Amino acid sequence: MRSIYAVFIFTFTSFLSAAQPFSTDSYYLFPINPGQQNYLAGTMGELRSSHFHAGLDIKTGGQTGWPVYATADGYVSRVRITNGGYGHSLYINHPNGTTSVYAHLSKFSDEIDRYVLENQYEDETFEIQLFPDKKQFEFKQGDIIAFSGNTGSSSGPHLHFEIRDSNQRILDPLRFNFSEIKDNIAPQVKDIAFVSLDGNARINDTFGRFEFDVLKSYGTYKPRTPINLSGNIGIEIYAYDLLNGVYNRNGIPKTTLVVNGDTIFSELKTNLSFSNQKSILVHMDYERYRNGGPKYNKLFVDDGNGNDFYSISNRGHVFNDSIEQDIKIYLEDSYGNISTVEVQANTRKVINKPDPVFSDYELFRNHLHFKSLMDSTEGKVSVFLRGVKNIIEPYRKDRKVAYALWDLRHGLPDSIQLNGKIIHTDIYATIPSETAISFYNHDFDIAFRNQSLFDTLYLRFEKDFDTFKNLELFRFPLGDVPFQSSMKVTLKPRFQYPDSTARVYSVHGSRLSFMGGEWNEDGNIDFIARDLGTFTIAEDTTPPTITPRIVNSSELYFKITDDMSGIKSYRATLNGKFLLMEYESKKDLIWARRLNSNNAIKGEFILEVVDNTNNKSIYQRNLN
């Protein structure tokens, strides 16, 4: 783990002062149903699976086609259409230097729509990005600029709305105190967690990470069971914010941690940088989330975390278990509603100590954590390192089991003698962060970039075979490890595969997800991975399926699917000329859009669809 960096001086009073909403100056108009109460499905800074949410998700009653209004005077600076992401999106620059963003739209205003359509035909593409001249599309506040939709990666009809500053940093729109949004509900707190950040840290006499549910009593949340803390401990909180009239669980922009009267951590998400979005993976407890849990917000700055919204940061707090500890957490939403969590630690002797859920051993942060039986060995564990036997004394003994630790920074064990058996771990190597490094093995190679890792990686691997499906499986049991950027992976199969149709797939239960890859001259396959999990090599020799839905001189609708590698591209022509087909990938639908809607669709129509291993299907028909 990296060294602790400087902590900045900060007081809770100044935190509250900074947290107050901006004064209302009517500069911005709410973009949906202005002047009426609106409802949100998401807020800025909310913890998503791989990023901080970048704006407001405004509900549209489960419908598309609601008018979207320009939030302020300005001109269109960017128009973009993508199959995923923001789908149909619009960017407007304003005289005060800010930019507003409107995403997942179903349709642009008529003049923008015509401009986009003409450029799509000129470039012969559906996906497009355009940067109009400043004078081309100017709007006044309140003009209709588009209509709400469900395009891109949207999971339901809504408008995604952002306000960005002149440096394209994301601002919290709720800080402008829109009267359309009502919120007098304080954040809701569900659980608090404590984490051992070094080998001497204990929670209720035990190493690891442990969660405690809380109850609200007289306006304050408190844990139901006694908590004893010693050593360097990290604190995490699972909480969310509710707004009036809806049950969506939204993000909390402001959090402060106070221990014994001293503020040791504070975050204030009034603006966010796109360049730091990946740091959410270490801002929240990624391992807990990937193992099916909620998104816990860390109240300490973990290794590799590049976020810049911490007014005071720490690498954990050192607790003395012989002294009572007063812990307070303040959570405040964008409208000034505050909830408080209070923990009085080290006030009572803990009788029921936690029993970590694993057998034999687990890998936790930089340590192997052993659970051994209290038999003739008295819970002792033998770790063999470079031929030398190291006897590890338990740090905790109970009547039947004992617990011990091995710091992996002292070396990777050759083997371990534990519970009457010899264990060989699947840890192959220690990979340092912040450096470009390659690891070579007879089954695989990995080339890490200098920014691939947030922290030291203990590289684990095992080779397996699925005899039922006849698949080689390259298992990296690291699915709960976050990665900052991608890495190049080379798989070295023992089977022979056809270069033209065999590619790498990630394995998720019985489902295969296409990863791609290129075969090299050594007969191995290289691909780029953003995460490490289980991979295999499989063939796709089946072309995509084209299913006509509507085919006449007025409309052309098709469903295009591919059950293996997925759709790579599609192209339609009418009498040899490009015909635009719009695409809704969530529904696997494409449909024709003519440059001149008055012209009938007549003549030779050809639709060609290609999958990711270049299998091709062609639909051809003469339309009268």
Side-chain angles (χ1 to χ4, degrees):
M1 301 288 177
R2 302 187 189 96
S3 61
I4 298 176
Y5 53 72
V7 174
F8 301 98
I9 298 175
F10 183 79
T11 66
F12 182 60
T13 303
S14 64
F15 170 81
L16 288 179
S17 176
Q20 298 307 308
F22 297 136
S23 62
T24 304
D25 59 8
S26 300
Y27 191 89
Y28 298 103
L29 180 77
F30 203 74
I32 291 283
N33 286 335
Q36 303 179 39
Q37 184 171 357
N38 277 261
Y39 303 97
L40 302 181
T43 56
M44 195 276 275
E46 187 176 305
L47 305 184
R48 297 293 174 91
S49 60
S50 61
H51 62 281
F52 297 98
H53 189 240
L56 302 182
D57 283 345
I58 305 171
K59 288 176 174 283
T60 56
Q63 301 172 341
T64 62
W66 286 24
V68 176
Y69 299 93
T71 191
D73 295 356
Y75 65 89
V76 174
S77 58
R78 182 183 178 194
V79 187
R80 191 177 186 192
I81 293 180
T82 62
N83 285 326
Y86 282 5
H88 291 51
S89 57
L90 200 61
Y91 299 70
I92 296 182
N93 286 8
H94 305 292
N96 69 347
T98 61
T99 300
S100 56
V101 182
Y102 314 79
H104 307 307
L105 303 168
S106 61
K107 187 177 182 297
F108 303 119
S109 65
D110 289 344
E111 61 269 39
I112 299 174
D113 185 66
R114 186 64 193 178
Y115 164 75
V116 172
L117 181 63
E118 289 174 352
N119 276 275
Q120 287 175 312
Y121 266 91
E122 183 177 342
D123 294 348
E124 297 190 356
T125 180
F126 169 63
E127 293 192 302
I128 198 167
Q129 181 167 222
L130 301 167
F131 300 91
D133 182 83
K134 291 182 179 181
K135 298 293 184 180
Q136 192 164 359
F137 301 111
E138 294 182 312
F139 289 97
K140 291 293 185 181
Q141 183 183 68
D143 287 346
I144 295 176
I145 56 174
F147 298 87
S148 68
N150 186 31
T151 56
S153 60
S154 169
S155 58
H158 72 280
L159 173 70
H160 176 87
F161 173 63
E162 299 174 18
I163 298 176
R164 302 180 185 179
D165 68 14
S166 58
N167 295 315
Q168 291 299 298
R169 289 180 65 88
I170 313 154
L171 304 178
D172 182 1
L174 293 183
R175 300 273 288 162
F176 297 102
N177 205 19
F178 286 116
S179 62
E180 288 82 357
I181 303 300
K182 309 297 182 185
D183 181 12
N184 57 17
I185 305 171
Q188 309 291 297
V189 183
K190 293 300 180 182
D191 295 286
I192 187 171
F194 297 90
V195 185
S196 298
L197 297 183
D198 63 36
N200 297 314
R202 303 287 182 267
I203 298 104
N204 288 353
D205 297 338
T206 309
F207 175 86
R209 179 188 180 276
F210 302 98
E211 298 173 6
F212 300 85
D213 59 347
V214 295
L215 292 177
K216 193 173 185 179
S217 176
Y218 299 101
T220 301
Y221 293 91
K222 297 180 180 181
R224 295 193 298 175
T225 58
I227 298 173
N228 284 0
L229 304 171
S230 66
N232 191 26
I233 301 292
I235 300 176
E236 302 174 356
I237 192 86
Y238 170 44
Y240 51 83
D241 190 39
L242 296 177
L243 304 177
N244 292 23
V246 288
Y247 294 99
N248 297 80
R249 298 182 175 187
N250 298 303
I252 301 171
K254 297 167 271 294
T255 305
T256 298
L257 171 63
V258 179
V259 178
N260 300 327
D262 295 326
T263 301
I264 66 168
F265 174 88
S266 66
E267 65 179 48
L268 182 57
K269 296 196 289 289
T270 56
N271 59 78
L272 296 172
S273 171
F274 280 104
S275 63
N276 293 331
Q277 281 283 40
K278 290 290 287 187
S279 287
I280 191 177
L281 303 181
V282 284
H283 173 85
M284 69 177 177
D285 193 310
Y286 186 74
E287 179 179 359
R288 181 71 174 93
Y289 166 67
R290 284 301 300 265
N291 287 319
K295 302 180 184 75
Y296 278 80
N297 195 116
K298 294 179 181 177
L299 306 187
F300 61 98
V301 178
D302 215 340
D303 293 325
N305 188 340
N307 287 310
D308 55 4
F309 51 73
Y310 307 113
S311 300
I312 293 182
S313 55
N314 69 81
R315 297 285 187 177
H317 183 74
V318 177
F319 291 89
N320 185 335
D321 59 357
S322 64
I323 300 175
E324 293 186 7
Q325 307 284 337
D326 178 34
I327 302 170
K328 288 185 171 65
I329 303 170
Y330 302 95
L331 303 109
E332 183 175 359
D333 65 25
S334 296
Y335 285 84
N337 303 299
I338 301 174
S339 289
T340 303
V341 181
E342 291 186 359
V343 179
Q344 297 294 318
N346 302 341
T347 60
R348 286 187 286 168
K349 181 178 177 63
V350 174
I351 299 175
N352 297 318
K353 300 176 183 179
D355 182 14
V357 183
F358 64 88
S359 59
D360 292 337
Y361 75 94
E362 69 170 351
L363 172 61
F364 186 80
R365 296 180 77 88
N366 287 315
H367 290 79
L368 288 178
H369 191 195
F370 302 110
K371 180 189 290 187
S372 58
L373 300 176
M374 287 290 290
D375 50 16
S376 58
T377 64
E378 291 296 313
K380 295 178 182 179
V381 179
S382 296
V383 173
F384 295 88
L385 179 67
R386 292 184 289 273
V388 177
K389 181 178 182 180
N390 300 270
I391 299 177
I392 312 301
E393 293 286 343
Y395 70 81
R396 168 186 154 189
K397 291 182 179 181
D398 295 333
R399 186 169 61 88
K400 292 184 178 181
V401 297
Y403 298 92
L405 293 170
W406 174 259
D407 192 332
L408 289 169
R409 290 168 294 189
H410 297 157
L412 302 181
D414 305 323
S415 61
I416 301 160
Q417 188 174 347
L418 173 66
N419 296 329
K421 54 189 173 184
I422 299 296
I423 296 174
H424 296 273
T425 74
D426 59 357
I427 304 175
Y428 272 59
T430 301
I431 309 296
S433 61
E434 297 184 341
T435 183
I437 188 171
S438 296
F439 179 83
Y440 301 96
N441 179 269
H442 63 277
D443 287 312
F444 68 93
D445 300 334
I446 301 183
F448 296 95
R449 302 175 182 177
N450 58 0
Q451 293 296 321
S452 291
L453 306 177
F454 286 106
D455 192 14
T456 300
L457 172 69
Y458 297 102
L459 182 61
R460 303 168 61 195
F461 174 77
E462 60 180 1
K463 183 70 179 292
D464 198 4
F465 294 90
D466 184 332
T467 54
F468 180 74
K469 295 183 178 179
N470 198 32
L471 295 175
E472 290 184 86
L473 299 176
F474 300 79
R475 298 186 187 275
F476 299 90
L478 299 166
D480 54 9
V481 175
F483 290 88
Q484 190 168 6
S485 65
S486 60
M487 63 218 84
K488 179 182 176 182
V489 181
T490 300
L491 301 184
K492 303 176 180 178
R494 301 179 191 177
F495 298 165
Q496 294 292 321
Y497 299 92
D499 293 1
S500 60
T501 56
R503 296 292 185 271
V504 177
Y505 293 79
S506 59
V507 182
H508 308 276
S510 60
R511 182 172 61 88
L512 300 183
S513 179
F514 179 78
M515 296 293 294
E518 296 292 335
W519 292 93
N520 60 39
E521 59 186 12
D522 297 323
N524 304 319
I525 189 166
D526 306 319
F527 69 103
I528 301 298
R530 287 195 168 274
D531 299 288
L532 291 179
T534 300
F535 303 105
T536 191
I537 301 171
E539 292 183 68
D540 180 7
T541 58
T542 305
T545 300
I546 301 174
T547 305
R549 288 294 179 86
I550 302 175
V551 179
N552 58 47
S553 60
S554 300
E555 294 181 286
L556 294 175
Y557 274 81
F558 296 88
K559 183 172 184 177
I560 57 173
T561 57
D562 188 84
D563 293 335
M564 192 69 177
S565 63
I567 302 296
K568 176 183 178 181
S569 65
Y570 66 92
R571 180 178 173 82
T573 59
L574 184 65
N575 298 318
K577 294 182 178 181
F578 173 80
L579 178 65
L580 176 66
M581 302 293 288
E582 298 201 0
Y583 188 23
E584 175 51 83
S585 58
K586 294 192 296 290
K587 297 181 179 180
D588 299 321
L589 289 177
I590 60 173
W591 60 94
R593 187 170 183 206
R594 290 158 285 173
L595 184 60
N596 187 338
S597 59
N598 294 321
N599 293 339
I601 304 173
K602 291 185 176 182
E604 184 184 40
F605 171 76
I606 299 175
L607 172 63
E608 180 179 287
V609 183
V610 182
D611 69 16
N612 279 296
T613 49
N614 296 318
N615 299 302
K616 182 187 301 183
S617 291
I618 297 176
Y619 175 92
Q620 186 171 357
R621 181 170 172 178
N622 286 317
L623 302 172
N624 300 319

